[in-house]
Amino acid sequence: GINAEYGIILRMYHHHLSALRFVLHLFRVLQVFQTGYIHPDEYFQSPEIAAELFGSETKTIRTWEWSLPAPCRSIFPVYMSSGGAFWLLEFFSRCFGSFPSSFLVQAPRLILVFSSFYFWDYCLGNIIDEIFNQYDCQDEQEQIQD
């Protein structure tokens, strides 16, 4: 049936999809170390706000989205991306000494890339494996019925 044919096509390209996934993983990790940026918020808001939250002695500027008494942006995403990375940098700097300033930009990127490996790739990989298993089971059932 059509499901068995689709399953055969998926199995034929499964090896190529694995290689493509590896290349895309490598590309994402290399993007962490690029010198440019895609969006100004990457530099001027999340890391700056996180630095202020973690007691940095650096003077930071809060834009209107973060200003009190009624900020329109939540601090939670900052804690999850830049905040977590800064906490790790602070912890490791106590053990190993100071880090280059470029780590302040690269550490939040690394946290986001590695979390995307789990939340996007691992979970999506499980869904794809379920689809492959479903077509394998349907193919076996069709062979048994024939």
Side-chain angles (χ1 to χ4, degrees):
I2 195 163
N3 285 340
E5 292 169 7
Y6 188 62
I8 291 169
I9 292 170
L10 284 175
R11 273 193 237 80
M12 285 176 17
Y13 289 104
H14 185 67
H15 175 69
H16 298 294
L17 290 174
S18 296
L20 177 64
R21 214 165 33 174
F22 173 77
V23 169
L24 292 175
H25 285 167
L26 183 63
F27 179 72
R28 277 193 283 180
V29 170
L30 292 175
Q31 289 297 311
V32 167
F33 302 104
Q34 74 174 355
T35 55
Y37 64 91
I38 296 172
H39 197 278
D41 282 356
E42 180 182 10
Y43 288 112
F44 300 118
Q45 292 195 10
S46 288
E48 216 169 3
I49 299 299
E52 184 179 309
L53 293 173
F54 279 85
S56 171
E57 296 182 19
T58 305
K59 175 114 172 86
T60 61
I61 299 171
R62 283 190 176 217
T63 58
W64 65 270
E65 297 107 329
W66 304 98
S67 298
L68 296 175
C72 68
R73 292 186 68 177
S74 171
I75 206 73
F76 182 74
V78 173
Y79 270 124
M80 296 307 293
S81 60
S82 298
F86 286 179
W87 181 84
L88 286 172
L89 284 175
E90 183 181 6
F91 175 77
F92 285 121
S93 69
R94 289 181 185 161
C95 300
F96 304 109
S98 63
F99 291 99
S101 61
S102 62
F103 278 35
L104 295 174
V105 173
Q106 294 167 349
R109 289 179 181 179
L110 276 173
I111 296 289
L112 292 174
V113 164
F114 287 121
S115 64
S116 79
F117 285 158
Y118 173 75
F119 290 113
W120 177 250
D121 298 329
Y122 176 73
C123 296
L124 183 63
N126 285 339
I127 292 170
I128 290 171
D129 288 343
E130 284 296 319
I131 291 171
F132 278 117
N133 291 336
Q134 175 186 1
Y135 283 110
D136 282 342
C137 292
Q138 287 178 357
D139 192 28
E140 288 174 14
Q141 288 175 355
E142 286 179 6
Q143 288 175 359
I144 292 171
Q145 289 175 356
D146 290 339

